[in-house]
Amino acid sequence: MLQQSELIFDFASDHNMSQLGSYSEYPAVIVEHVPHPHLLSYAGLACEQSHADGDHQQLLKMEPCESGEEEIMETLVAAESLLNMDCPDSLSLEQHYITPLSQTFLPSLAEGVVGAVDQPQWPTFHTKKPAAQLQSKKRGRKPRHRRAESPTPDIIVKKDKYNKGNTLYLWQFLMELLQDRKVCPRYIKWTNPHKGIFKLVNSKAVARLWGKHKNKPDMNYETMGRALRYYYQRGILNKVEGQRLVYQFTTLPKDMIYITDGDGTKEEEDYDDNSGNDEGVSDDSDDSTQKDVQYVILTFRTEHQTK
DNA sequence: GAATAGGATTATG
DNA sequence: CATAATCCTATTC
């Protein structure tokens, strides 16, 4: 069925790539981005980003070619980017996957993970529901309780596992997209990285990419959206109500490549999820220092709590 | 009208 | 068996 070389985005022409295809067989694969010590401290993204006092401006700079209409075109570009991570200006995710990660993972992460059996190993954003009226307005929705989500303590570092059978979960796929400079600002982008809030700017394009990845040509946002909605109960995603196409990761990897948009503007538009709780998180300059960054693959066994 | 929520059913690994 | 894909109804933006 899926060929490693083509399983992702067939329209990516003849560049045989397989980065996205190169994930371990473990359910959850997180590409960790370990740039600098200070960035490591930044890892606690959920908590605070105090040091982000602007002395480091993000290098991830890409012209905000924000048209959004021509999806085909952009999809092609996106796919190309996803497939050809070897473009010099990009972070070449390819390296992530094949990096023999000498340094397996962040100790803090490891401990935190190992320690927490019942809860995610990642910083958790518990955004209180903005308003209960949102639920009430729905037609008698039953309260959803989240159970422990997939990723659990086990950290297995798969060094060179780019097997083809890779099937990223949707949430992983979205995270990957959010770390891809080509698609991130355009199709999908953070609207509030600290809270894990992102927006599917171009839902159709994202769905298309997802469909490509899953080899489901008929994928659309309806279907993908359903899958996203499954994440509500599982505590992986929240919906940022009031804003269309805006979702929120309840948990995030400690160090992601936060592409908050390239023109130096910290966050062009953080509609801080209108919950009013936020204290105005401001400078989140993504300090993704492209150079001397180390990419680490962390694989998390997703063993579900044996219910 | 697209987005959203979620039930039901089926598919797939 | 879990994760969706597909499909659907209903509601909201």
Side-chain angles (χ1 to χ4, degrees), chain A residues 12-45:
Chain A
S13 65
D14 42 1
H15 302 270
N16 69 331
M17 309 315 301
S18 51
Q19 310 67 10
L20 283 184
S22 56
Y23 289 91
S24 76
E25 63 244 76
Y26 290 88
V29 179
I30 308 306
V31 178
E32 289 293 330
H33 172 248
V34 189
H36 283 304
H38 69 272
L39 281 185
L40 296 185
S41 62
Y42 177 71
L45 75 166

Side-chain angles (χ1 to χ4, degrees), chain A residues 5 40 74 87 92 107 261 264 282:
Chain A
S5 53
L40 296 185
E74 302 195 38
C87 25
S92 68
D261 188 66
S282 44

